[in-house]
Amino acid sequence: MTTRNKNTRRTEARETTPPSLIAYHVSERGEKKFWTRIGAAWDHEDARGLTLQLELLPAGGGRIVLREPRDEEGEVIEEEGA
């Protein structure tokens, strides 16, 4: 007997849909700020929340900042049909 993962459709959709926001850990050392990408967030279908997927968790303080995805030139990446 095989077991089917009920979350497969959601996981596949999240992996193929670009994130709405990118999660960064921001730490400060003196006057410098260091931004490290740590994950991403996707809008819920009902537009009443976000799913946040973190690839790592900061251990030494700092803060988590969510920002719109940008291309290499710094332009905001728009979703198709938006």
Side-chain angles (χ1 to χ4, degrees):
M1 177 192 331
T2 60
T3 312
R4 185 168 174 217
N5 183 351
K6 294 180 182 179
N7 292 325
T8 302
R9 281 184 36 212
R10 287 188 198 135
T11 302
E12 289 172 359
R14 186 170 49 231
E15 290 175 357
T16 59
T17 304
S20 302
L21 300 169
I22 304 298
Y24 296 93
H25 172 253
V26 182
S27 60
E28 295 183 37
R29 294 184 203 131
E31 303 261 334
K32 291 194 170 204
K33 294 180 183 173
F34 297 90
W35 290 61
T36 304
R37 183 177 171 156
I38 61 170
W42 288 263
D43 290 315
H44 287 189
E45 287 182 23
D46 64 5
R48 297 187 66 181
L50 296 166
T51 296
L52 179 61
Q53 181 176 341
L54 297 175
E55 301 299 325
L56 67 94
L57 296 172
R63 63 185 184 272
I64 295 175
V65 177
L66 300 174
R67 302 279 302 193
E68 293 179 328
R70 296 185 179 267
D71 63 14
E72 291 179 14
E73 286 81 38
E75 297 292 322
V76 174
I77 298 172
E78 297 288 336
E79 286 187 46
E80 291 182 25

